[in-house]
């Protein structure tokens, strides 16, 4: 599934708004905070270049996924990156630019020796997913139950914030 960069219509509406909030999560290789707290990663330069070219004042906040996702849903002056473009999200955002691709996988501890070849086989296990993330939505759409099969996590790391 493709990860997408969204800047809500605010970037296009320069005269109307003087500042926006841009939210994201720590998602290494795509975007993450290095040892100095700087936001880096394979998509960060694309995002920062676009923001600087827009001449709009902005603040970037790095939060747990569900915090960033819900902020972008609630506030029309908030943009989010990187986010998977899913049918369930299509009407919630204005999608502007594709930033790259990603893949999703199941992981287990070595000592468990788990082998699955399809989603149906995965249903016998408890699976940890980030709340409202691509994996969470995808698995729910394919019949996984939040009570018996999915363990919802709020974050995959401790959050830090950086601003411009």
């Amino acid at each position: 599934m493709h990860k997408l960069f969204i800047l809500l219509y605010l970037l296009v509406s320069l005269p109307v708004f003087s500042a926006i909030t841009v939210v994201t999560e720590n998602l290494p290789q795509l975007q993450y905070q290095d040892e100095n707290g700087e936001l880096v990663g394979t998509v960060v330069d694309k995002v920062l270049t676009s923001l600087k070219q827009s001449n709009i004042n902005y603040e970037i906040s790095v939060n747990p996924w569900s915090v960033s996702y819900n902020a972008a849903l609630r506030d029309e002056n908030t943009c989010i990156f990187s986010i998977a473009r899913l049918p369930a999200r299509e009407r919630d955002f204005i999608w502007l630019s594709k930033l790259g691709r990603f893949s999703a996988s199941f992981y287990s501890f070595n000592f468990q020796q788990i082998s699955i070849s399809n989603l149906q086989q995965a249903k016998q296990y408890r699976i940890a997913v980030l709340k409202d993330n691509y994996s969470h939505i995808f698995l729910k759409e394919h019949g996984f139950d939040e009570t018996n099969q999915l363990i919802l996590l709020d974050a995959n790391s401790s959050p830090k914030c950086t601003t411009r």
Side-chain angles (χ1 to χ4, degrees), residues 16 29 41 50 55 63 70 76 87 106 114 123 134 138 143 145:
V16 178
Q29 302 282 46
S50 295
N55 291 320
N63 310 293
N70 285 305
E76 66 181 17
F106 289 103
I114 294 173
K123 288 183 178 180
Y134 166 79
F138 178 85
D145 183 292

Side-chain angles (χ1 to χ4, degrees), residues 61-77:
S61 176
V62 179
N63 310 293
W65 172 253
S66 61
V67 172
S68 288
Y69 180 73
N70 285 305
L73 283 175
R74 280 190 319 269
D75 182 6
E76 66 181 17
N77 293 336

Side-chain angles (χ1 to χ4, degrees), residues 79-132:
C79 305
I80 187 169
F81 78 95
S82 299
I83 183 170
R85 190 170 186 169
L86 299 171
R89 295 177 176 160
E90 192 66 30
R91 292 183 178 160
D92 293 332
F93 302 100
I94 295 172
W95 304 86
L96 295 182
S97 179
K98 178 171 48 172
L99 291 175
R101 295 176 174 259
F102 79 99
S103 62
S105 302
F106 289 103
Y107 299 94
S108 72
F109 294 108
N110 273 343
F111 66 85
Q112 291 182 317
Q113 302 291 318
I114 294 173
S115 178
I116 59 173
S117 58
N118 60 51
L119 282 179
Q120 192 61 34
Q121 290 175 353
K123 288 183 178 180
Q124 67 184 303
Y125 300 102
R126 300 270 299 170
I127 301 166
V129 294
L130 290 175
K131 183 180 178 187
D132 298 322

